[in-house]
Amino acid sequence: MKFFIDTANLAQIKEAQELGVLDGVTTNPSLMAKEGITGEKNILQHYIDICNIVDGDVSAEVIATDFDGMVREGEALAALHEQIVVKIPMIKEGVKALKYFSNKGIRTNCTLVFSPGQAILAAKAGATYVSPFIGRLDDISQNGVDFIAQIRQIYDNYMFETQILAASIRHTMHIIECAEVGADVVTCPLNAIMGLLKHPLTDSGLAQFLADYKKGG
Ligand code: G3P
């Protein structure tokens, strides 16, 4: 399972990269705005800065909602850096754009996916990644992890190559549950990744080992 970090915060991206388990980054316009990154020039530079920190895929989202605009923006994003994956919303024009980029060998991440039908369309259009938003489904009393399992079954039935990128992950248990049902990728806030480290028996066990070592000395 690949680990992506879901942020545009360079310090957090560096921290996750230094941990040695990071496979990529996802961003979106809201995450960019949260870091105060505005204006096309600054946003494009920020993507390059992120690519220079990590080794893996970096999703960069188009703003246009029409086919021509998505193609124009997506091609510019893809030309920025070889690690860029063009993020396209799951709308009618977006499906056309996914197919266009797939034909051109440009990698894509289909975002804002909330139903199995949308996941099928993304795969049929040749998306590299599909991003089901599990936290937002949980928010409206639909089980987000069950949705990941449903997509896993559908994709396995037909050997679709689109990778399931579980997004809108809110906490550590989401990561573990996504691993149990076979998500290919999880994109997470840093604190959810760091939560995987924690266990009180590790802490108390280590404290005991160190205390016993000192006694011996
Ligand atoms: O990966 C998508 C993510 O950024 C959305 O997360 O917490 O706003 O639903 P959230």
Side-chain angles (χ1 to χ4, degrees):
M1 183 169 68
K2 287 193 256 186
F3 273 22
F4 289 177
I5 188 167
D6 193 31
T7 185
N9 182 291
L10 297 183
Q12 291 189 9
I13 293 168
K14 276 185 198 137
E15 191 176 338
Q17 173 68 18
E18 281 164 11
L19 188 62
V21 299
L22 192 66
D23 299 298
V25 178
T26 51
T27 62
N28 61 41
S30 303
L31 293 172
M32 282 290 191
K34 194 172 161 198
E35 300 307 319
I37 314 294
T38 55
E40 194 186 344
K41 203 172 154 216
N42 293 333
I43 290 173
L44 296 183
Q45 182 56 49
H46 203 71
Y47 287 136
I48 293 171
D49 294 344
I50 293 173
C51 290
N52 287 336
I53 296 172
V54 299
D55 299 323
D57 290 347
V58 174
S59 288
E61 189 158 343
V62 299
I63 304 301
T65 54
D66 63 298
F67 174 78
D68 290 338
M70 287 187 202
V71 165
R72 198 168 47 247
E73 283 181 26
E75 285 183 337
L77 288 169
L80 268 186
H81 198 285
E82 61 187 7
Q83 287 167 242
I84 294 283
V85 174
V86 180
K87 205 169 178 187
I88 304 277
M90 172 37 78
I91 55 176
K92 186 176 170 188
E93 296 295 290
V95 174
K96 294 181 198 169
L98 289 170
K99 186 67 186 173
Y100 172 87
F101 287 124
S102 168
N103 287 341
K104 289 199 77 175
I106 291 176
R107 290 170 307 136
T108 53
N109 174 357
C110 180
T111 190
L112 291 167
V113 168
F114 294 95
S115 78
Q118 291 177 329
I120 291 170
L121 277 179
K124 288 286 293 175
T128 312
Y129 296 103
V130 66
S131 287
F133 277 32
I134 68 171
R136 292 191 191 185
L137 282 173
D138 288 354
D139 288 343
I140 58 161
S141 307
Q142 289 183 28
N143 190 307
V145 173
D146 285 354
F147 180 42
I148 299 293
Q150 192 177 18
I151 302 173
R152 177 78 283 151
Q153 182 179 345
I154 292 168
Y155 281 13
D156 288 352
N157 285 348
Y158 298 99
M159 289 186 283
F160 283 133
E161 287 177 7
T162 300
Q163 296 175 56
I164 303 171
L165 193 171
S168 182
I169 282 186
R170 302 277 174 74
H171 50 73
T172 302
M173 273 311 292
H174 267 157
I175 301 177
I176 294 165
E177 289 166 356
C178 283
E180 284 174 344
V181 300
D184 297 294
V185 191
V186 281
T187 188
C188 327
L190 182 62
N191 62 355
I193 297 174
M194 291 305 179
L196 294 167
L197 273 170
K198 292 180 193 156
H199 199 287
L201 292 179
T202 303
D203 297 339
S204 60
L206 182 60
Q208 185 69 55
F209 286 155
L210 295 178
D212 289 344
Y213 173 80
K214 275 187 198 148
K215 272 188 227 158

